[in-house]
Amino acid sequence: KQNLPRLKVTLVVLLFSASLLSSGNGGKVLVFPVDGSHWLNMKIILEALHSRGHQITVFRSSTSWYVSESSPIYTSITIAQEQPQNIESQDVMTSFLERSMEIRRNKGTLWAFFEFYRNLFQLFGENQKDVAKLVISIFENKTLLRQLNETGYDLFLTDPAFPGGVLLAHYLKLPLVLNVRWISSGEGHFAVAPSPLSYIPAVFSHFSDKMHFSQRVQNIIFHGMLVYMHYYVANPPFQAVCEKYLGDNITTFSLVQAADLWLMRVDFTFELPRPTMPNVIYIGGFQGKPSKPLPLELEEFMQSSGEHGVIVMTLGTLLSDLGPEVSETFASAFASLPQKVVWRHIGKRPPTLGNNTMLVDWLPQNDILGHVKAKVFITHGGTNGIYEAIYHGVPVLGIPLIFDQYDNIIRLTARGVAEIADVTTMTVDSLTIALKTILDPEKPYKQNMIKLSQLHHDKPMKPIDSAVFWIEYVMRHRGAAHLRSEFYKLPWYAYHGLDVMAFCVTSVLLIISIIWVSCRSCINILIKNRKSKPE
Ligand SMILES: *[C@@H]1O[C@H](CO)[C@@H](O)[C@H](O)[C@H]1NC(C)=O
Ligand SMILES: *[C@@H]1O[C@H](CO)[C@@H](O)[C@H](O)[C@H]1NC(C)=O
Ligand SMILES: *[C@@H]1O[C@H](CO)[C@@H](O)[C@H](O)[C@H]1NC(C)=O
Ligand SMILES: *[C@@H]1O[C@H](CO)[C@@H](O)[C@H](O)[C@H]1NC(C)=O
């Protein structure tokens, strides 16, 4: 009998905590992702939000095969689309890669410079149009809009590389959080923080933060190409949507700038230091996690490498499309090394393959990089792989293929933790030398990478926890306007202080001319007086 009240208390506590877990702190999040590899990033954040009890709704196009229709962590809203977006299509990406390689072979020519951008603008331009069409379908579906409005979401989460979600968030008047590195005009920081081109390398410039005069001139040209892309390629389809559905004076760019919070997929162990803003939160490396034990066969192979260790290579699914010669070059170079090699290879087995190399269709990348025998990571330079290498302290040989990959590897070479090999000029010898250099115990690649890894881990909060904290912060406070600078509402001449400068210069000139005119008239009067005075 005496136990009864205690049981009651326990029950009440249990019920209370259950209600807290299920609905008490759970919010409703609406998500408009970018398809393709960006979705992999977004999904990691959604999984973390789901485990915190939030309800998640995701927009997807009917042609998407990355974003599945049903999932245990979210409900989806499927929007009909006629054809897959470029970034969803293996064929389009393959021909883009082939064209990119042809352009790379002619590196340094004016033709290659313009053709590089033409190739890129074509891929992105069409994709932007497709996403804008998707957004129009949503704006045209009044039933759907009413449902979305009535559901009462707490937050809109989107990746603004294709800024459809930004327009929807504005229409639904929801607090907006961006999961971002790229926007339609290049790197995300350029929209929100001061970005002097004297020490911030433009995307595709392949420069680091130390540029001499001629590089700084080129840097402005590289930046100019992206500004052109924004105004003439990426923005027009969305601007049309803005004008039709959101009102006259709204630009897509200002809606991006008005986001409450930027979850930036950047960490300064990797990115070069630059100015930033209070509403930019750095979550680079949020995909990092401790490694798990390897499958038995792989573990035995790793152990069999002895003191030499293992080289891990994966270039994604695209390398098989580079032709058999490239694979043979890699195979021959590997065969000449004392290390063992695990190579994720899709396609024909190269005839020059040595008996130290194991081909696999798939590898548990994070677990293998966390293995004590992993010595070098050969990667195309996507950010997922790079952050996993930093997390586990494995130096990198970069084989950049497309997009930002070259710039990514440049950032690692600037830290002394990587070497670059160009797939269009690479030979067996140059590849072997690059690998031997990184593996040389006299050289500091490994120590530098371990130092970088320590810096990356030394933070008050894991990046993924930080992402979740700040998303919940924006939900709790219905936005984060107090963290957002309103600079973007200034006209360009006021932003750069040109009006004030013009005012100051005019004032100074005016004062000087007044003084000059008055002095002259004084002198004239004096002279006149002296002349008129009789001797
Ligand atoms: C509009 O949205 C509703 C609710 O999501 C859906 O059932 C309907 O099929 C959509 N209509 C069109 C024309 O796509
Ligand atoms: C959303 O619903 C509110 C009332 O709940 C209404 O005042 C508002 O006009 C609606 N907005 C849109 C865009 O339909
Ligand atoms: C749009 O901007 C123009 C000029 O800046 C202004 O006159 C007009 O009132 C604005 N319209 C709206 C709807 O805010
Ligand atoms: C691998 O090949 C090398 C040279 O080609 C040879 O010396 C060695 O015995 C081979 N090892 C195995 C396990 O077959």
Side-chain angles (χ1 to χ4, degrees):
K1 255 193 185 166
Q2 273 166 348
N3 278 347
L4 217 64
R6 196 183 285 170
L7 190 69
K8 256 187 192 164
V9 169
T10 320
L11 263 179
V12 169
V13 167
L14 271 179
L15 278 177
F16 180 68
S17 40
S19 70
L20 255 189
L21 273 179
S22 64
S23 66
N25 61 2
K28 290 182 193 150
V29 182
L30 192 56
V31 183
F32 190 98
V34 161
D35 217 312
S37 62
H38 284 217
W39 165 249
L40 304 179
N41 281 323
M42 186 62 102
K43 202 171 158 204
I44 294 171
I45 295 181
L46 299 188
E47 276 160 2
L49 285 176
H50 174 75
S51 73
R52 297 272 301 167
H54 299 292
Q55 285 175 42
I56 300 160
T57 308
V58 176
F59 284 105
R60 64 185 287 279
S61 89
S62 56
T63 55
S64 172
W65 55 274
Y66 284 86
V67 187
S68 58
E69 183 160 14
S70 61
S71 156
I73 61 169
Y74 60 81
T75 48
S76 65
I77 299 177
T78 301
I79 310 297
Q81 193 157 36
E82 285 156 27
Q83 59 180 44
Q85 294 169 31
N86 280 347
I87 53 165
E88 296 168 350
S89 154
Q90 184 81 35
D91 292 345
V92 175
M93 290 310 292
T94 301
S95 66
F96 178 77
L97 175 72
E98 277 164 6
R99 190 85 183 127
S100 301
M101 289 303 120
E102 194 189 326
I103 294 164
R104 182 90 65 81
R105 274 184 212 105
N106 294 288
K107 200 167 57 178
T109 62
L110 204 59
W111 175 86
F113 177 81
F114 285 108
E115 201 57 23
F116 172 84
Y117 283 103
R118 208 182 63 83
N119 193 28
L120 192 77
F121 291 173
Q122 195 181 346
L123 184 86
F124 279 146
E126 280 174 25
N127 212 105
Q128 297 282 16
K129 279 185 205 151
D130 286 342
V131 175
K133 270 190 211 153
L134 203 70
V135 177
I136 291 174
S137 314
I138 297 172
F139 276 125
E140 284 296 329
N141 189 338
K142 299 298 171 206
T143 332
L144 179 59
L145 283 181
R146 208 183 47 244
Q147 279 172 4
L148 290 174
N149 190 25
E150 279 166 4
T151 309
Y153 289 99
D154 298 297
L155 184 110
F156 199 109
L157 178 63
T158 189
D159 183 330
F162 301 118
V166 175
L167 310 189
L168 279 169
H170 178 80
Y171 181 85
L172 296 168
K173 299 193 178 60
L174 292 177
L176 177 61
V177 174
L178 306 177
N179 165 19
V180 51
R181 180 150 180 244
W182 307 110
I183 54 175
S184 59
S185 55
E187 211 265 346
H189 280 104
F190 279 82
V192 70
S195 304
L197 289 168
S198 51
Y199 63 94
I200 297 177
V203 190
F204 308 128
S205 69
H206 303 178
F207 297 147
S208 81
D209 56 351
K210 293 177 192 71
M211 291 175 269
H212 52 67
F213 179 76
S214 82
Q215 287 177 330
R216 278 182 281 130
V217 173
Q218 293 173 54
N219 200 37
I220 288 183
I221 296 171
F222 285 116
H223 179 67
M225 295 306 286
L226 291 182
V227 173
Y228 174 89
M229 172 167 95
H230 174 73
Y231 283 105
Y232 294 97
V233 181
N235 191 46
F238 290 101
Q239 201 52 46
V241 180
C242 267
E243 276 160 27
K244 180 143 185 229
Y245 299 97
L246 299 181
D248 279 342
N249 287 357
I250 291 171
T251 68
T252 321
F253 198 60
S254 68
L255 292 181
V256 171
Q257 291 176 309
D260 288 281
L261 201 78
W262 296 61
L263 298 175
M264 193 69 81
R265 297 193 299 266
V266 158
D267 185 86
F268 285 106
T269 52
F270 163 72
E271 186 53 273
L272 304 161
R274 53 131 45 254
T276 179
M277 278 290 180
N279 63 342
V280 179
I281 307 297
Y282 292 94
I283 60 163
F286 64 97
Q287 57 277 80
K289 50 181 187 287
S291 55
K292 294 196 290 288
L294 294 174
L296 193 62
E297 193 197 358
L298 206 52
E299 176 63 35
E300 275 170 7
F301 183 80
M302 298 294 280
Q303 292 302 345
S304 73
S305 66
E307 53 167 341
H308 292 299
V310 174
I311 296 169
V312 181
M313 161 143 167
T314 165
L315 301 189
T317 50
L318 285 172
L319 182 76
S320 55
D321 301 316
L322 286 172
E325 297 86 18
V326 177
S327 301
E328 275 167 40
T329 309
F330 275 111
S332 308
F334 293 155
S336 70
L337 293 170
Q339 279 74 24
K340 298 235 164 167
V341 183
V342 179
W343 179 3
R344 183 184 176 218
H345 181 72
I346 296 154
K348 224 173 92 230
R349 183 187 170 86
T352 49
L353 201 72
N355 61 8
N356 64 339
T357 305
M358 178 181 182
L359 295 186
V360 288
D361 312 340
W362 176 84
L363 52 82
Q365 188 167 295
N366 187 58
D367 302 336
I368 208 167
L369 287 176
H371 196 282
V372 61
K373 297 284 184 194
K375 297 291 180 204
V376 179
F377 181 39
I378 305 182
T379 172
H380 55 303
T383 40
N384 275 335
I386 285 182
Y387 277 113
E388 279 171 357
I390 294 175
Y391 188 98
H392 296 295
V394 182
V396 165
L397 175 65
I399 318 280
L401 299 176
I402 48 174
F403 299 149
D404 56 323
Q405 293 164 1
Y406 210 107
D407 293 285
N408 291 343
I409 303 288
I410 290 283
R411 280 157 174 69
L412 293 184
T413 54
R415 307 283 188 194
V417 299
E419 284 293 320
I420 297 187
D422 189 329
V423 78
T424 58
T425 56
M426 181 175 77
T427 61
V428 175
D429 281 346
S430 69
L431 197 58
T432 315
I433 290 169
L435 282 168
K436 282 192 170 149
T437 313
I438 300 173
L439 286 160
D440 187 347
E442 309 273 289
K443 299 264 166 44
Y445 295 91
K446 178 70 181 174
Q447 287 100 295
N448 289 346
M449 195 50 144
I450 287 175
K451 178 85 189 122
L452 213 56
S453 183
Q454 285 166 348
L455 291 172
H456 178 64
H457 287 283
D458 197 356
K459 351 184 125 83
M461 211 176 190
K462 281 195 287 177
I464 186 70
D465 294 338
S466 181
V468 171
F469 170 85
W470 283 100
I471 288 172
E472 291 180 348
Y473 178 95
V474 173
M475 281 194 223
R476 279 196 294 275
H477 303 288
R478 300 282 307 154
H482 64 291
L483 295 178
R484 176 182 62 209
S485 164
E486 304 280 284
F487 77 89
Y488 64 91
K489 293 181 178 163
L490 294 172
W492 61 271
Y493 52 84
Y495 176 84
H496 292 286
L498 296 182
D499 48 353
V500 176
M501 227 183 279
F503 172 76
C504 291
V505 170
T506 322
S507 311
V508 170
L509 287 181
L510 202 68
I511 292 169
I512 290 175
S513 44
I514 289 173
I515 293 174
W516 194 66
V517 168
S518 28
C519 282
R520 251 177 69 139
S521 34
C522 282
I523 291 166
N524 280 349
I525 292 168
L526 277 179
I527 292 171
K528 230 187 237 166
N529 282 353
R530 195 169 290 171
K531 272 188 188 159
S532 59
K533 245 185 200 161
E535 283 293 311

